[in-house]
Amino acid sequence: MFSERWLCFCCPPMHKSPRRTIVAPIEQNPIQPESRLQLQTSRLSNRQKQKSELHLAAVVIIQTWFRRRRALFEIRRKTAWTIYQNIEYAGEQNQLKLYNFFLELMQTVSKNPRDATVAAKVLRRSSSLSGLTEELELKQLTSPTIINVESSYQGPHIDKPINREHFEALILAFQRGELLHAHYVLLILHELRHILKNLPNINIVSTHQTTCVTVVGDLHGSLADLMIIFHKNGLPSNENPYIFNGDIVDRGFQSIEVFLLISVALIVYPNNIYLNRGNHEDHVLNLRYGFMKEIIHKYKSHATRLLHLFENIYSWLPVASLIDDHIFVTHGGISNITDLTIINQIKRQKYVSVLSPSFIIPPNEDEFQIGNIPNDLLLEWRQILDLLWSDPKQSDGCEPNTYRGGGCYWGPDVTNDILEKHKWSLLIRSHECKEEGFDYTHDKKVLTVFSASNYYAVGSNRGAYVKVITNQPPLIVQFVSTKSSHKSLTLWERVSHVEEQAIQNLLEKFSVNQNRLIREFAVVDRKKTGRISINEWCDIVSRVLNLHLPWRTLKSRLVQTDSDGSIIYESTFRFKQLQFTLNVPTSERRTSLCQAIYRNKDLLETVFRAIDKDNSGVISMKEFTDVCVSLGHHNGTKFDGKQIMDLAASIDLDKNGVIDFNEFLEAFRIVDITDHFDDES
């Protein structure tokens, strides 16, 4: 009805903004579905890229932390390892120094041949008899028939012929902690000796029938490691041959058991079990490193017979093995003079001790003169010494092994020359503890294998053995023996435990040398401030302890420093680990004496056991007289019979006619040779 819009004049007018009209540009095309998908994909890709960058940054942070942590582990591990090796080799050096002392003593009194003979025999246990007479003497002393088996004996029984059943019975008995009767020990050792006497100096080994042979390195009296090897690799047999590469005894607490098991295996399978001599198959080292003490402790009244037979057996052990004419296996290594032609011609039974060879005292003692030892005898001795004592080095050349005190260091050039000369492809040796149980050197031409795990401390190293397979590279098998009472250790726990044990051993060295260290520190600290520079501290500690270690790295674990970096040298002796030596209320002189005794305890025990030639655990009057006469000539002092008797009586505190080890230590304390040792240092 109303065609036009009606307006009310009473109401105020309303103003509305005009509606915007959206006009799409003519040139712009509408978004297609495909383009929308590409856009979403691009956004997703950007998000993934950002997330990847975030992940990468996290990985870099974790890797950096891990590498720093691993580097810290490596520094701590290497430091602990260096401590252990320095202390170990320092002990071997001391043993050789003791031997050299007696050699110098011989040279000093060489104008009187019989006095020189007495001096040499202090460390030389072999009989002065020779040939058939010596053989009869040994059989009379060590015959199993001398010892009867008591009816109360509950251990394993051995009779001839010794077979595999006896071998397995011994394994079970030793695992139960049973001790084999001395009668059966002598029986086994005589059977072993009979076989060894017919062997060449170098065992000839072939893998063509058995396809492989297993080489076992140092065991050092560790029955647990031998059991693991037998468990993983199988018991020895004609189909499963073994080469045991020396150092069967010493250091460990079950050396006699390990040696007997290997001996029985060789008796049962004489054509497929091989035993090389190591540097510890030597009575001079047994004096110090535990095997002699173990036999005396376990077999008491029969110890003398066993030790004499062991010493003779050592001399009959082959010095090396040759696998398939191209892999040479020996305990220590080679040198620039190593020659198989010479080695094969050596009468190895002469070397009852490699450190004290029999040519020092010829059968006709009245004609003895050290200066007249022929060069060919010295060259022959060097051949044996180098095979048992040498170590490889990274640089070329061949030089004396001053680190151990015996054998040589040989370089890659010597390896190449000797291998090429004899047409060998590989040298397998032992003699050195390796963290992984093995180590290749000299462009993989020298392989070190060490089979005693946890050698320095629990977690310090793995053990290993190597399987030589026909026409294949050597196969190395690693293992670690752990007692059931020991839980599995993490990497951090293992490194910490090894490091802690190493530091404790080092602190022990500080403790027993406290007075000498304090005296040296005081010389440098003229103002008596109690502080010296780090360079002075490192020099003094290295010189007094005779240990070449990274002292700057170790200082935070051994000593405190002040704000300017100076060393507070007395703080070492306030550590908790040393309080046991400082809390004892003794005078300064008494403390010094105790330190001197403890510092030289190993040396004194070695001297005591060397003088005690019949291994009775006491020094008889005859043994004491021989030493007094020898030392009297060395010092230019003559002792008559009464003086010797009076001296022995003053040492024999309980007046029973013999001198035991405690009386020997007490005599050392009373005489107070501390100043003598300090003057020498």
Side-chain angles (χ1 to χ4, degrees), residues 458-473:
V458 175
S460 64
N461 67 283
R462 298 181 181 182
Y465 58 88
V466 56
K467 295 180 71 70
V468 178
I469 305 172
T470 307
N471 299 325
Q472 292 187 28

Side-chain angles (χ1 to χ4, degrees), residues 472-498:
Q472 292 187 28
L475 174 63
I476 297 169
V477 182
Q478 298 170 286
F479 62 88
V480 176
S481 66
T482 55
K483 296 181 180 178
S484 57
S485 58
H486 290 155
K487 68 174 185 177
S488 180
L489 300 177
T490 64
L491 175 62
W492 178 266
E493 290 173 333
R494 189 168 66 249
V495 172
S496 298
H497 179 76
V498 173

Side-chain angles (χ1 to χ4, degrees), residues 164 209-215 229-244 265 269 272-274 465 467:
R164 186 178 179 87
Q209 290 185 346
T210 60
T211 69
C212 72
V213 61
T214 302
V215 180
I229 294 172
F230 285 167
H231 174 73
K232 294 173 70 71
N233 195 62
L235 293 177
S237 67
N238 288 328
E239 295 74 30
N240 189 24
Y242 278 81
I243 298 175
F244 294 94
Y269 306 107
N272 287 284
I273 305 301
Y274 309 92
Y465 58 88
K467 295 180 71 70

Side-chain angles (χ1 to χ4, degrees), residues 40 194 239 253 297 313 419 454 638:
Q40 292 175 351
H194 177 72
E239 295 74 30
F253 302 108
H297 172 71
I313 285 174
L419 264 60
N454 303 312
K638 298 293 183 181

Side-chain angles (χ1 to χ4, degrees), residues 431-443:
H431 195 43
E432 285 184 287
C433 181
K434 299 296 181 182
E435 186 185 10
E436 295 299 323
F438 75 97
D439 182 49
Y440 274 107
T441 53
H442 297 181
D443 196 23

